[in-house]
Amino acid sequence: MYGELTDKKTIDKVRQTFDNYESNCFEVLLYKKNRTPVWLYMQVAPIRNENDKVVLFLCTFKDITVFKQPIEDETTRGWTKFARLTRALTNSRSTLQQLTPMNKTEVSHKHSRLAEALQLGSDILPQYKQEAPKTPPHIILHYCTFKTTWDWVILILTFYTAIMVPYNVSFKTKQNNLVWLVLDSVVDVIFLVDIVLNFHTTFVGPGGEVISDPKLIRMNYLKTWFVIDLLSCLPYDIINAFENVDEGLSSLFSSLKVVRLLRLGRVARKLDHYLEYGAAVLVLLVCVFGLVAHWLACIWYSIGDYEIIDEGTNNIKRESWLYQLAISIGTPYRYNASGSGQWEGGPSKNTLYISSLYFTMTSLTTIGFGNIAPTTDGEKIFSVAMMMVGCKYH
């Protein structure tokens, strides 16, 4: 962009500004691709990171050719000074339109900005505002305030799902409590609304551009998260709440609720933005540790509940940790021979969950007091795997 009329001293000053990581302003004569000279007001500002290191420079250019003496080149040689000024003003009509105030309230502001542009020693940088892309009326920008707030609501409900779904599946709880049934139904409705919104929300394309074409948005969502989101919002809890549902069908619906945990993949993408903050990383590690311990506690109880009864002899295994826990707290299992013909009694579900969580916490932290210990082969294999997981946190 340099040419024969560009001032050599100005070039040296620009180079020195970049070398010394300084902020400065210049009036410099540069050339376009068609070799047309143009006067530019150039402002250089270094951008620093949190370590006070310059990572890039912000350079702004303002065309001030209209305010300078008309440039005499080959196309204007021989013209009078008045003719050259008229030609310069005509070619810079777009610049004048940009500088013309739109209303009376902006006049003083525009004049001050023009004064800044004419002051060589001014270190005030111009104000910038990113223009929002134009979208159809029914399309929502993925970074607007409403969508950001909605994403946080979905994030919180996803964590709620990640806690309650494994618990309900492992402990085989039927949502007979009306309050919990209504709450889970509201969560399902919100997830369903989220599907509708995702069909009308922009996304970032492979080239970094914002895609607002409705057809492309729908195709992208159908190829990515639609199936998972649809399976996660089905009303499994309402179906599972009916007493006349077949036991096998009820277990199937309870197992399908685990699909909701796949929504955590979307949560992980959002949490990436906070990994650069030390306090946020610490909080996330504590939450992840607690969530893993909760999942392992649900699995630990499921293994004990599956193996406590010997299906061949229909006798209870006295070496099981569930049986030992029931004896220690005074709520033993008993066989109902005159009624259902099944084993009944035992600790309450709250006690079983707290005991399971206590065991997984002590195992993951490699403390292990031994008051709850694995006895069957399945429990020992799971305990070994759990201790291997715990080693990753040390």
Side-chain angles (χ1 to χ4, degrees):
M1 298 178 69
Y2 296 158
E4 56 183 8
L5 297 180
T6 305
D7 185 26
K8 304 300 181 184
K9 293 182 180 180
T10 305
I11 297 176
D12 295 337
K13 290 181 180 179
V14 173
R15 185 179 293 108
Q16 185 178 2
T17 299
F18 283 107
D19 293 339
N20 297 334
Y21 304 108
E22 298 175 344
S23 177
N24 210 337
C25 308
F26 310 95
E27 280 190 1
V28 57
L29 178 65
L30 301 177
Y31 288 81
K32 299 181 181 180
K33 290 184 178 180
N34 58 1
R35 301 298 298 168
T36 301
V38 56
W39 276 99
L40 296 175
Y41 178 71
M42 177 180 178
Q43 292 178 307
V44 180
I47 305 299
R48 302 178 183 272
N49 58 11
E50 63 275 6
N51 298 325
D52 200 31
K53 293 184 178 180
V54 177
V55 293
L56 54 91
F57 287 91
L58 176 62
C59 299
T60 59
F61 298 89
K62 188 73 173 181
D63 188 352
I64 59 173
T65 307
V66 66
F67 306 111
K68 303 295 290 185
Q69 182 72 19
I71 305 169
E72 182 176 358
D73 54 12
E74 295 181 357
T75 60
T76 61
R77 193 163 296 161
W79 289 23
T80 64
K81 184 180 294 186
F82 178 78
R84 292 199 301 267
L85 178 60
T86 304
R87 179 177 181 269
L89 291 174
T90 304
N91 294 337
S92 303
R93 182 178 300 173
S94 59
T95 304
L96 290 175
Q97 291 176 350
Q98 295 176 0
L99 295 175
T100 302
M102 298 302 295
N103 50 52
K104 295 182 180 179
T105 58
E106 298 179 357
V107 172
S108 59
H109 176 71
K110 293 295 182 178
H111 281 304
S112 62
R113 294 289 303 280
L114 179 59
E116 292 175 11
L118 296 178
Q119 292 176 0
L120 295 177
S122 176
D123 56 352
I124 303 176
L125 293 179
Q127 299 178 356
Y128 294 92
K129 182 178 180 181
Q130 184 178 4
E131 183 180 357
K134 296 181 180 179
T135 59
H138 59 283
I139 298 299
I140 305 173
L141 289 174
H142 63 279
Y143 55 84
C144 67
T145 304
F146 167 75
K147 194 60 172 65
T148 303
T149 305
W150 179 263
D151 288 341
W152 277 107
V153 173
I154 296 298
L155 175 67
I156 295 173
L157 294 181
T158 302
F159 275 112
Y160 166 81
T161 302
I163 294 173
M164 294 305 300
V165 166
Y167 178 83
N168 293 333
V169 172
S170 300
F171 289 85
K172 301 176 182 178
T173 60
K174 284 197 172 185
Q175 300 295 336
N176 296 325
N177 190 318
L178 182 60
V179 176
W180 286 106
L181 183 61
V182 172
L183 180 60
D184 290 337
S185 300
V186 171
V187 173
D188 293 337
V189 171
I190 293 177
F191 283 160
L192 184 61
V193 174
D194 182 57
I195 292 179
V196 178
L197 291 180
N198 287 332
F199 275 114
H200 299 82
T201 304
T202 62
F203 67 96
V204 180
E209 71 280 7
V210 177
I211 305 299
S212 58
D213 185 4
K215 183 178 181 180
L216 295 179
I217 292 175
R218 298 187 187 101
M219 292 300 297
N220 177 74
Y221 185 53
L222 289 173
K223 293 178 181 178
T224 53
W225 290 97
F226 173 72
V227 176
I228 295 176
D229 291 348
L230 181 62
L231 292 176
S232 66
C233 71
L234 294 180
Y236 303 112
D237 296 314
I238 296 179
I239 300 176
N240 199 32
F242 293 101
E243 295 293 341
N244 57 351
V245 175
D246 181 74
E247 186 67 25
L249 186 61
S250 176
S251 301
L252 175 62
F253 279 112
S254 298
S255 302
L256 285 176
K257 288 192 295 185
V258 180
V259 177
R260 293 180 177 178
L261 300 183
L262 296 177
R263 297 180 68 95
L264 290 175
R266 302 178 67 179
V267 176
R269 294 186 303 171
K270 181 176 288 295
L271 296 181
D272 284 341
H273 301 289
Y274 301 94
L275 296 182
E276 57 182 288
Y277 304 102
V281 172
L282 181 60
V283 173
L284 288 176
L285 287 177
V286 173
C287 294
V288 171
F289 180 80
L291 191 60
V292 171
H294 169 74
W295 289 350
L296 294 177
C298 295
I299 298 175
W300 170 252
Y301 168 75
S302 298
I303 295 175
D305 182 63
Y306 177 76
E307 295 184 344
I308 189 174
I309 304 296
D310 189 346
E311 295 182 357
T313 60
N314 198 25
N315 292 326
I316 195 168
K317 295 181 180 180
R318 299 181 181 273
E319 69 275 10
S320 172
W321 75 272
L322 289 177
Y323 180 82
Q324 297 296 330
L325 176 65
I327 295 298
S328 63
I329 63 176
T331 56
Y333 290 93
R334 61 183 182 274
Y335 183 73
N336 189 351
S338 60
S340 61
Q342 297 178 352
W343 288 91
E344 299 176 349
S348 64
K349 290 183 178 179
N350 292 335
T351 301
L352 291 173
Y353 171 73
I354 294 174
S355 301
S356 301
L357 185 62
Y358 163 79
F359 172 74
T360 55
M361 282 288 190
T362 54
S363 298
L364 289 175
T365 55
T366 64
I367 298 176
F369 296 103
N371 49 353
I372 297 179
T375 54
T376 64
D377 292 339
E379 294 173 352
K380 291 178 181 179
I381 293 174
F382 178 74
S383 298
V384 171
M386 187 162 42
M387 285 184 282
M388 294 178 65
V389 173
C391 292
K392 298 183 179 296
Y393 288 93
H394 296 279

